[in-house]
Amino acid sequence: AYFFVHGMKFLKNGGRFGFIVSNSWLDVDYGKGLQEFFLRNCKIVAVIESKVERWFPDADINTSIVILEKWGRKRERDANLVRFVYLKKPLRHFIPPAQDMWEKQVERIAAINKLIKTILFHSSLYESAELRVFPKSQKELWKEGFDPETGKYAGAKWGKYLRAPSIFFRVLEKGKGKLVPLKQVAEVRFGIKTGANEFFYLTEEEIKRKGIEKEFWMHRDKKGKWVPNYVIKSPRECKTIEVRPEDLKYRVLMIHKDKKDLKGTKVLRYIRQGERKGFDKRPTCASRKRWYDLGHQSPADGIWFKAFNDRFLAPQNLERYFSSDRFYAVYLKNRTLKNKLFLYLNSTLPALFVELNGRVSLGEGALDNMTYEAASMLILDVSRQPAFDGRIFKALRHRPIETIFMELGVTTPDEVSLDKVRPDRRELDRIVMGEILGLTEKEQLEVYRAVIDLVRSRIERAKSTGRRRLTADGLDFELLKNTIVERVREKPRR
């Protein structure tokens, strides 16, 4: 990020800048500063990303090629079309490997020129079996990211212009007035940050073996009955769309007394054992008045995963169990909406938004999302929708949620059909996408294809490098970058 700013100082007006860099700046919070810097100082010539491969096998990140041109006149910057280019084939499909023979070098540069001209030729959406070009004016990008309330540029997720299928923009169009950020109907927070999970999270067998008194690992419910402090510790414990106690292995200790008031208890002996192990010196624990006191935690209405692989669900926390910091805790502003919200969140459409709202910069295939990204994710405004048929919730709540490939009954986009989707999921999707958003069956099929394609591409791209070294195949990225910077000046001939 700093080198973008620093490097621009070396350029005259009209000078070019080419950089191969992590693609995270397109979507993460710090990227808004770079976006604003580019829009205020440059013509953004192209942003290029691969759908099928990572370019650096030794770095667990995904990368993009960024081509900028320093430009001072605002009017011309605003009119400039940014080409967001998504390569559907490996780079060697477009550009032959570097070789010493002069004829091969000439052939290679000709291939690079052909790719550049293909990119710059298109001023509207273009898609082929090889690549997709999504042109977007800088004026539109500025308007999208500008916050009129604060009078400042707040940023936007540009990654969608690379990865988003056309059906995504159709859903946004049909969802005008019906889609809102999650933060409008719920508060999204971190789960419990213990600072020492091995101290606070124990099985009942461990608790009983240590003799810890029940008031520190149990609480009284509304009927006055003692129930365990269940904690949702791992995504693997979330098997259904409703969190079930039989799936939860651990209990969390809630100790709200000073040591002097714990005299003679087994829990005090356990606390001192923890201090001998140095738990009280850990930063999170040491920041508390009583290092062993997690405070009076309020269980959430439901949970949202911090990272997704190929399984999408948002479990409802009907029994109000505690949740660890492996999750985000979702607190509804109006708790009467809980069934409607969590039924919607467990339909297929949110999987499309998650894929395009999360971070795919991690090269190992996981889809990460930060708190503010989860809070800003578009959802159906359930406050304006009638209640879902209770039979749908009943059908879904008791069965395990499988991978998206198993839920939709296919492994590739070409195989998608409505009759292969799990019947209970299909009924829920028909209501969300068809009755509420007005998508035709053909458009609903496109949503399914897009989700399968995005998830499959994310996972397969993570595996694309394996142990292969790109240098052994002769991919000279320095030559590629320098050639693009020099040759991209040429205007394509119609």
Side-chain angles (χ1 to χ4, degrees), residues 319-333:
E319 299 300 323
R320 309 278 288 171
Y321 303 127
F322 297 102
S323 56
S324 76
D325 60 355
R326 294 283 301 276
F327 307 95
Y328 298 126
V330 179
Y331 297 86
L332 278 157
K333 296 179 180 179

Side-chain angles (χ1 to χ4, degrees), residues 6-113:
H6 181 64
M8 201 62 62
K9 297 176 182 177
F10 294 92
L11 298 180
K12 296 179 180 179
N13 198 52
R16 298 280 175 137
F17 185 115
F19 206 11
I20 302 174
V21 64
S22 162
N23 66 0
S24 60
W25 68 272
L26 289 161
D27 295 307
V28 302
D29 197 43
Y30 81 77
K32 66 185 180 186
L34 278 179
Q35 291 176 8
E36 181 176 6
F37 177 77
F38 295 161
L39 293 172
R40 287 184 180 274
N41 295 279
C42 310
K43 287 182 179 179
I44 307 169
V45 179
V47 180
I48 307 170
E49 187 176 307
S50 175
K51 178 181 180 180
V52 296
E53 62 182 346
R54 283 160 49 199
W55 289 326
F56 295 92
D58 298 327
D60 288 331
I61 58 169
N62 293 315
T63 45
S64 60
I65 300 172
V66 185
I67 308 296
L68 307 171
E69 180 176 337
K70 188 173 183 178
W71 201 262
R73 292 187 289 276
K74 180 180 182 301
R75 184 175 178 180
E76 294 174 18
R77 287 198 314 268
D78 286 349
N80 178 62
L81 286 180
V82 182
R83 269 78 175 188
F84 291 96
V85 184
Y86 205 33
L87 303 181
K88 300 181 182 181
K89 302 284 186 181
L91 202 54
R92 64 174 57 84
H93 172 82
F94 302 96
I95 304 170
Q99 296 185 40
D100 293 336
M101 293 177 59
W102 170 250
E103 291 82 1
K104 294 295 182 182
Q105 291 184 33
V106 172
E107 181 182 318
R108 178 181 170 85
I109 291 175
I112 294 174
N113 283 333

Side-chain angles (χ1 to χ4, degrees), residues 155-199:
K157 286 187 173 288
W158 289 3
K160 62 178 176 283
Y161 296 117
L162 288 163
R163 298 180 289 272
S166 56
I167 186 61
F168 170 74
F169 299 99
R170 222 170 308 149
V171 170
L172 294 185
E173 183 65 30
K174 291 198 172 184
K176 282 183 178 178
K178 298 177 183 178
L179 298 171
V180 296
L182 176 58
K183 61 186 175 184
Q184 185 167 314
V185 297
E187 186 180 353
V188 181
R189 306 181 211 157
F190 270 102
I192 299 173
K193 294 182 180 181
T194 69
N197 285 354
E198 58 268 55
F199 176 85

Side-chain angles (χ1 to χ4, degrees), residues 149 187 367 384 481:
E149 291 185 8
E187 186 180 353
L367 180 74
R384 298 186 179 186
K481 181 189 71 174

